[in-house]
């Protein structure tokens, strides 16, 4: 009788710790955002979005939080194509990115449902940040 009870307790403890182990393992491998994005983080209350510029922009679409001060860090790494000529018409921004480096672009808090688009000077490449 006692042995059966102890046996079932041991099995339960093993099962529960197994579930915790699985959950922990899952969390450590999953990206910051449950939607699968890895390019958005929040640092000291500021939303930081990473965009790579080289032969176009990546990721093409980013989901971000509305009503939050935001900085888009545009990364270049040996970028000599026209994606280095970046404009963000919605905020009147226009720059020539360095061929390699990080260019921070401040985006004021946006209303939910707003899309901020970045385009190269020729309008060939673009990226979008959707605020919700
Ligand atoms: Cu272009």
């Amino acid at each position: 009788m006692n042995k059966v009870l102890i046996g079932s307790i041991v099995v339960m403890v093993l099962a529960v710790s197994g579930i915790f182990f699985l959950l922990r393992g899952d969390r450590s491998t999953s990206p910051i955002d449950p939607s699968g994005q890895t390019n958005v983080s929040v640092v000291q209350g500021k939303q930081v979005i990473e965009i790579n510029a080289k032969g176009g922009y990546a990721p093409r679409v980013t989901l971000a939080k509305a009503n939050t001060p935001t900085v888009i860090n545009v990364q270049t790494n040996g970028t000599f194509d026209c994606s280095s000529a970046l404009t963000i018409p919605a905020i009147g921004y226009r720059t020539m990115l360095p061929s390699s480096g990080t260019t921070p672009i401040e985006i004021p808090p946006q209303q939910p449902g707003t899309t901020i688009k970045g385009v190269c000077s020729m309008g060939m490449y673009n990226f979008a940040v959707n605020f919700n």
Side-chain angles (χ1 to χ4, degrees):
M1 204 49 184
N2 257 348
K3 271 187 184 166
V4 171
L5 192 66
I6 289 167
S8 58
I9 286 171
V10 166
V11 166
M12 257 172 56
V13 167
L14 283 178
V16 167
S17 57
I19 287 167
F20 274 115
F21 181 78
L22 282 176
L23 287 178
R24 245 199 9 209
D26 186 40
R27 193 177 305 149
S28 67
T29 54
S30 62
I32 297 158
D33 191 279
S35 64
Q37 295 188 129
T38 54
N39 68 319
V40 182
S41 56
V42 175
V43 180
Q44 288 168 353
K46 194 169 225 185
Q47 181 166 235
V48 179
I49 300 172
E50 309 283 342
I51 300 285
N52 286 302
K54 186 175 187 175
Y57 303 105
R60 292 286 305 281
V61 178
T62 299
L63 302 177
K65 262 190 272 180
N67 304 316
T68 307
T70 299
V71 60
I72 299 178
N73 282 336
V74 184
Q75 315 272 5
T76 47
N77 185 10
T79 302
F80 297 101
D81 57 86
C82 70
S83 56
S84 60
L86 174 64
T87 65
I88 303 180
I91 59 165
Y93 183 89
R94 172 181 291 267
T95 195
M96 277 300 298
L97 301 167
S99 57
S100 293
T102 302
T103 304
I105 304 169
E106 301 284 339
I107 308 286
Q110 298 294 311
Q111 299 281 332
T114 306
T115 297
I116 296 280
K117 279 192 172 178
V119 286
C120 72
S121 56
M122 293 163 29
M124 184 170 52
Y125 302 126
N126 62 73
F127 67 88
V129 180
N130 297 321
F131 291 88
N132 263 302

